[in-house]
Structures are given as structure tokens and as C-alpha cells.
């Protein structure tokens, strides 16, 4: 009888150790491979850097477009900008001219 009691006590301790090992393994796996893991955090940080660079580029393009539209304001129209728009949109040129349009973001 004594021996059966020892065996059952060891089995209950082994079962408890097995549960703890399972829990540790489960959380360790998800810490390194899950949706909210360290690897996912690194991917999100890399994506954040890419999106910040894209936002900077978009901001620069927007600033250039705002500058161009401010030149077409009703109060003060830039003559060079007006001439460029007329030539580009309506195709007005003199017979002896060759016009080359550059898509430059600095205008």
C-alpha cells in the first residue's frame, strides 16, 4: 500500500510538472512566433520607418503642389506659370518653337 501511495503522489507531481512545462512552452512559442511576438514587433517597426519616409515624400509633393497652386491665385497670377499652363493644356506654341516640359517637383 505504501508503494501505491508513493506512485500516485509521484504521478500527481509529474502531472503538475507537465502542466507547467506545457504552459512555459506555450507562452515561449507565442512570444517568438505568434501574432504579437517579438518578430511581429520588428516587422511593425520596419513598416513604421517605411511609412514615415513615404509620409515625408508625400508631404514634399504636397508642399510643391501648394506652391504651384498659390502661384495661380486670382490676386496675383505668375506670368511664367500662366504661360506654362496655357502651353501645356492648350498646346499653344509658335511655329518656330520647340517646347520641352520637364516634370520637375520644384515648381
Amino acid at each position: 500500500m505504501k508503494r501505491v501511495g508513493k506512485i500516485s503522489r509521484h504521478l500527481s507531481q509529474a502531472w503538475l510538472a507537465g502542466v507547467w512545462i506545457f504552459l512555459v512552452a506555450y507562452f515561449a512559442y507565442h512570444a517568438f512566433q505568434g501574432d504579437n511576438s517579438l518578430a511581429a514587433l520588428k516587422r511593425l517597426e520596419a513598416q513604421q520607418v517605411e511609412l514615415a519616409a513615404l509620409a515625408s515624400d508625400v508631404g514634399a509633393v504636397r508642399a510643391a503642389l501648394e506652391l504651384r497652386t498659390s502661384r495661380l491665385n486670382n490676386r496675383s497670377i505668375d506670368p511664367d506659370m500662366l504661360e506654362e499652363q496655357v502651353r501645356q493644356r492648350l498646346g499653344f506654341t509658335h511655329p518656330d518653337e520647340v517646347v520641352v516640359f520637364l516634370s520637375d517637383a520644384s515648381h
Side-chain angles (χ1 to χ4, degrees):
M1 259 320 163
K2 226 176 184 186
R3 190 168 190 183
V4 173
K6 264 186 173 180
I7 291 173
S8 68
R9 190 175 54 213
H10 286 300
L11 282 177
S12 68
Q13 288 175 353
W15 179 82
L16 188 59
V19 168
W20 280 109
I21 289 172
F22 171 76
L23 286 175
V24 168
Y26 176 82
F27 287 113
Y29 170 79
H30 286 287
F32 293 104
Q33 299 297 324
D35 292 337
N36 297 322
S37 66
L38 297 173
L41 178 64
K42 289 194 185 283
R43 284 191 302 270
L44 285 174
E45 288 172 347
Q47 185 180 14
Q48 180 184 12
V49 169
E50 290 174 12
L51 290 175
L54 180 62
S56 174
D57 293 344
V58 169
V61 169
R62 179 181 175 164
L65 289 174
E66 286 178 352
L67 179 64
R68 287 180 63 95
T69 55
S70 71
R71 289 182 181 169
L72 294 174
N73 190 354
N74 286 338
R75 286 180 243 126
S76 63
I77 295 177
D78 184 16
D80 291 333
M81 178 64 75
L82 180 62
E83 181 182 357
E84 176 188 339
Q85 290 298 318
V86 167
R87 287 175 183 266
Q88 191 173 27
R89 305 240 187 236
L90 302 176
F92 287 154
T93 59
H94 294 289
D96 60 342
E97 284 184 327
V98 176
V99 179
V100 177
F101 293 107
L102 302 175
S103 60
D104 181 57
S106 66
H107 276 84

